[in-house]
Amino acid sequence: MSEKIESGQSEGSMEITLDSELVGRRVEADGGTQVGNTNFASRAEFEGVLTGRKIVQGDPPWYWLEIGQLSVKPDDFEDEFVWCEESYVYSLD
Amino acid sequence: MDGNPLNTKLCEEYGCEIPVVAFAHTKDVIAAVSNAGGIGILGATGLKPDELRSDIRWIRDKIGDKPFGVDLLVPASFVEGNREDLDEMIPDEHRTFVQHVKSVSGAPDSPPPSDIDPTYSGYENLLERSRQQLDVLFEEKVPIFASGLGSPAFIIERAHQEGMKVWGLVGLPRQARRQIEAGVDVVVAQGYDSGGHSGTVGTFTLVPEIVKMAEGTDTLVLAAGGVSSGKHLAASIAMGSAGVWTGTIWLATHESETAMFLKQRIIDSKVEDAVQSRAMSGKPIRQLRSRWSDIWKEDGAPDTLPMPLQGMLVNDVLRDIKEANLEDWMTTPAGQAIVGIDAIKPAAEVVYEMADEALELFERATEASATA
C-alpha cells in the first residue's frame, strides 16, 4: 500500500511515497554516483533494510528505494540511509 | 559473420566496420573513430544540456550517418545531506595537511570559480539533471545512449520507441543479469583494469561469465578494461564478446584534448602508474600516478575522508594546482591500458592498428590449426 508523503522541488516531477509493503525487507544493492560536478564516478555496495520510502521521479517513472540499518556499506560511508535505484536492489528474504 | 572475424554482430547491427568502441570526452576523438569505422561514444556527464546538444550536432556534422553515442553517468545511489553540517565533520588534522600540500606544491590562490550553477547540486537536481540530459539525447535522436554507471532500465522502452539503442556498463554479473532482463541492447563488461570507477572483477573473469548469461538473448556483450591492442580485441572476440569498449588508449591521440604533458607521461608510464587513489574524492578512482596521489600515501598523511568530505576538503587546492598548471601534481583518469601506449597517434591510426593486429592473429591461429 503506497501513500504520497511529500513532493520534490521540480514542479511535480518527483514525489516521495511510503510503501508499507516494502518496510522491513532485507536487501542488498549496487550503488554509485557521479563525484561532484566532475567526470568521475564511484561504485558502492550496500546491504540493509528498506524503510518503505520510495521516490518516483519523472516520466517514464524512475524508482528509488531508501535503505536503512546498513550492515554492509563502503568503509568510508558515514550516512545512516542511502537511496538506491530500484533495478539494482536485490531481495535477501 | 562472413568469414571476417572482425565483422561481428556489433558491426552487423550498428553499421560499423571494426568492432572497436571508443569512449572519450573529446568530440574530435569521437568523430575520428566513427569515421575510421569504429564507434565513438562521447563522455558527456559534465555537459549542460545546451553544451551537449551542441556537441551532438557537431559530431553529426563531421560523421554523417555513421554510428556514435553518448555516455552519461546515470546515478545508482545517493544520500541526502546538508553542506553546512558536512563542513563541520572535516577534522582539523586534514585541513592542516591540505595547507601543507598547498605549501609544498607552491600553488598560489586562484580566484573562485565564476560558473557555479546552484541548480547543479542537491539530490533532486541530480535526478532532474540526468533527465534533462536524456531529453537532449531523445530530441537529437542520438543512435546510442550508454549508461556509464546506473541501470538504464527505466528508459529502455522510450529509447527504443525513439529508435535509439541502450547500452549499460556493468562491473558485476548480477548487474548484467538485471540489464539483460530489462532488454538493454549491449552490456559492457567493465573489468578491474579500467580507468576511473573500475569494477572489482578482472576483465578475463567477467567477460565470459556475462557472455554466457547473454546467450539466447538479443543483448550483445563488449569487453572493457585493459584493452589497448589488437591482441585484446582478438582475445575479446574469442571470449564471445561482439567487440571492445576502450577509453584510456584515446587519451594520447592527436585529437584528444588531454594536456600534452599528460600525454607524454602516459607514454612514459609503467602499468603500476595507473593507481587507484581516494585522494581526489574519497572514492577509489584509477588514475595516472602524480605527486597528488603520492603525497596522500606518505608517512604522516591522514587517511582520506569519505565522499563527499574529501572532495569538499581538497577542491580548492586542486583548483589552485590546475590554475597554476603544476604538471607534476595534475592527473587524468587512466586504466592499466596505459602500458600499451607508446606514441601520440591519430585516432584513426589506433583503430586501424588494432584491427590489423587482430586480423593477423586470427589468420595465424587459422594457419596453426590447419597445420596441426
Side-chain angles (χ1 to χ4, degrees), chain A residues 62-81:
Chain A
W62 200 3
Y63 297 107
W64 295 81
L65 304 178
E66 189 184 48
I67 306 173
Q69 299 178 46
L70 296 170
S71 54
V72 173
K73 58 184 181 178
D75 291 340
D76 54 7
F77 189 88
E78 295 188 344
D79 290 86
E80 295 177 16
F81 300 92

Side-chain angles (χ1 to χ4, degrees), chain B residues 145-210:
Chain B
F145 161 52
S147 178
L149 184 68
S151 170
F154 73 102
I155 211 76
I156 289 174
E157 188 177 341
R158 181 173 172 200
H160 284 170
Q161 285 170 354
E162 301 281 355
M164 293 167 57
K165 299 284 191 179
V166 179
W167 297 9
L169 275 76
V170 302
L172 288 172
R174 69 181 182 190
Q175 296 163 355
R177 184 176 299 285
R178 283 286 171 94
Q179 294 210 12
I180 291 166
E181 287 170 356
V184 296
D185 300 290
V186 168
V187 168
V188 180
Q190 186 187 33
Y192 177 72
D193 331 33
S194 308
H197 55 291
S198 55
T200 54
V201 183
T203 305
F204 256 58
T205 304
L206 190 64
V207 172
E209 190 166 350
I210 294 178

Side-chain angles (χ1 to χ4, degrees), chain B residues 38-78:
Chain B
I39 300 178
I41 303 285
L42 180 70
T45 294
L47 299 182
K48 293 177 182 173
D50 55 338
E51 297 168 333
L52 176 56
R53 193 185 307 277
S54 170
D55 278 6
I56 290 167
R57 291 180 179 180
W58 186 93
I59 291 168
R60 194 163 251 145
D61 185 54
K62 300 296 177 192
I63 69 172
D65 58 2
K66 294 188 178 72
F68 77 104
V70 170
D71 175 287
L72 299 172
L73 287 171
V74 173
S77 68
F78 61 82

Side-chain angles (χ1 to χ4, degrees), chain B residues 85-367:
Chain B
D85 295 342
L86 293 171
D87 211 38
E88 293 173 5
M89 294 169 65
I90 297 176
D92 289 342
E93 178 197 7
H94 286 74
R95 295 185 195 279
T96 303
F97 182 72
V98 167
Q99 278 305 312
H100 163 69
V101 172
K102 183 172 164 63
S103 170
V104 171
S105 71
D109 289 337
S110 58
S114 57
D115 59 349
I116 292 178
D117 184 342
T119 63
Y120 266 54
S121 62
Y123 76 98
E124 300 94 339
N125 292 327
L126 174 74
L127 304 187
E128 190 60 31
R129 192 169 73 236
S130 294
R131 285 280 184 183
Q132 290 172 4
Q133 290 175 316
L134 286 167
D135 283 345
V136 173
L137 304 197
F138 292 137
E139 288 159 15
E140 295 296 323
K141 300 201 182 300
V142 172
I144 301 162
F145 161 52
S147 178
L149 184 68
S151 170
F154 73 102
I155 211 76
I156 289 174
E157 188 177 341
R158 181 173 172 200
H160 284 170
Q161 285 170 354
E162 301 281 355
M164 293 167 57
K165 299 284 191 179
V166 179
W167 297 9
L169 275 76
V170 302
L172 288 172
R174 69 181 182 190
Q175 296 163 355
R177 184 176 299 285
R178 283 286 171 94
Q179 294 210 12
I180 291 166
E181 287 170 356
V184 296
D185 300 290
V186 168
V187 168
V188 180
Q190 186 187 33
Y192 177 72
D193 331 33
S194 308
H197 55 291
S198 55
T200 54
V201 183
T203 305
F204 256 58
T205 304
L206 190 64
V207 172
E209 190 166 350
I210 294 178
V211 165
K212 191 175 178 185
M213 206 177 272
E215 279 175 4
T217 74
D218 293 330
T219 303
L220 305 182
V221 179
L222 298 180
V227 177
S228 66
S229 71
K231 296 181 187 69
H232 299 105
L233 174 57
S236 298
I237 292 171
M239 285 193 290
S241 78
V244 291
W245 170 286
T246 55
T248 299
I249 57 171
W250 311 104
L251 292 172
T253 56
H254 278 307
E255 294 87 348
S256 171
E257 288 174 352
T258 302
M260 188 56 77
F261 72 88
L262 285 172
K263 290 182 181 180
Q264 189 58 50
R265 203 193 300 165
I266 288 168
I267 290 167
D268 297 339
S269 291
K270 306 182 292 293
V271 68
E272 305 94 290
D273 295 324
V275 297
Q276 279 195 317
S277 170
R278 295 174 181 265
M280 295 179 84
S281 68
K283 288 292 179 186
I285 292 171
R286 193 181 295 286
Q287 58 197 266
L288 199 59
R289 183 183 168 195
S290 67
R291 289 198 66 189
W292 176 261
S293 58
D294 284 352
I295 201 167
W296 284 90
K297 290 182 177 176
E298 288 180 1
D299 289 343
D303 291 339
T304 54
L305 296 171
M307 194 172 83
L309 300 182
Q310 182 73 12
M312 292 166 62
L313 174 69
V314 303
N315 275 352
D316 286 348
V317 70
L318 282 175
R319 190 178 65 250
D320 294 342
I321 285 169
K322 186 178 177 186
E323 290 296 316
N325 202 31
L326 301 177
E327 297 182 358
D328 290 350
W329 292 81
M330 293 165 69
T331 188
T332 178
Q336 294 179 339
I338 55 171
V339 75
I341 302 171
D342 56 10
I344 298 172
K345 299 173 185 173
E349 192 176 320
V350 175
V351 175
Y352 299 144
E353 284 182 358
M354 286 184 76
D356 288 346
E357 187 184 23
L359 280 173
E360 190 184 326
L361 287 166
F362 279 120
E363 283 170 16
R364 238 191 278 163
T366 305
E367 287 168 11

